[in-house]
Amino acid sequence: MATVDLTVDTFGTAVAENDTVLVDFWAAWCGPCRQFTPVFEAASEQHPDVVFAKVDTEAEQQLAAMAGITSIPTLMAFRGGVLVFSQAGALPGSALGELLEQVKSLEVAEVRRMAEEQSAQSDPARLG
């Protein structure tokens, strides 16, 4: 499966409408980003059930700011619309494969339940 480019307009929909989404925040001038691209694209071929997406932080500065990106490349994994992994730095192919297997093994309903619990704990107004 080919990677898709996300923008501030398409990011939310892509994350919400797919079970598993892996996002690579990158820039053309970033050497480690360019080195990671073939690894990311190879993984996309091996995991057709995952949406592999890229966000060009130069073209999508607002989206990068909203995502809190301070270093690139940064990988984010979403399961059931919930952020379950975020880490700056490129991963070798084997580590990326292991990460994907772990993310895909998470039960969507459980991930959402835990996210709702964390949200309620961080918002005292919702506890009443």
Side-chain angles (χ1 to χ4, degrees):
M1 172 182 231
T3 60
V4 295
D5 293 322
L6 295 181
T7 67
V8 72
D9 296 325
T10 61
F11 186 88
T13 302
V15 168
E17 293 182 355
N18 294 283
D19 281 341
T20 307
V21 181
L22 187 65
V23 184
D24 174 22
F25 289 84
W26 69 283
W29 53 261
C30 167
C33 298
R34 288 194 309 270
Q35 291 174 333
F36 180 63
T37 295
V39 173
F40 191 76
E41 291 181 1
S44 75
E45 297 295 329
Q46 297 167 353
H47 299 272
D49 54 334
V50 175
V51 173
F52 284 76
K54 296 179 80 65
V55 174
D56 180 347
T57 58
E58 289 295 307
E60 295 296 326
Q61 292 181 14
Q62 180 184 4
L63 178 54
M66 290 168 56
I69 303 301
T70 58
S71 178
I72 54 174
T74 291
L75 278 178
M76 289 186 175
F78 296 86
R79 181 80 170 140
V82 177
L83 178 65
V84 296
F85 176 86
S86 180
Q87 178 178 309
L91 294 176
S94 59
L96 182 57
E98 289 174 23
L99 169 66
L100 285 165
E101 292 305 322
Q102 290 175 8
V103 169
K104 290 192 305 186
S105 73
L106 297 171
E107 291 293 327
V108 172
E110 181 68 9
V111 168
R112 288 184 179 150
R113 184 189 64 75
M114 291 174 64
E116 287 173 8
E117 285 179 7
Q118 288 177 349
S119 178
Q121 290 173 0
S122 66
D123 183 1
R126 291 185 57 182
L127 296 176

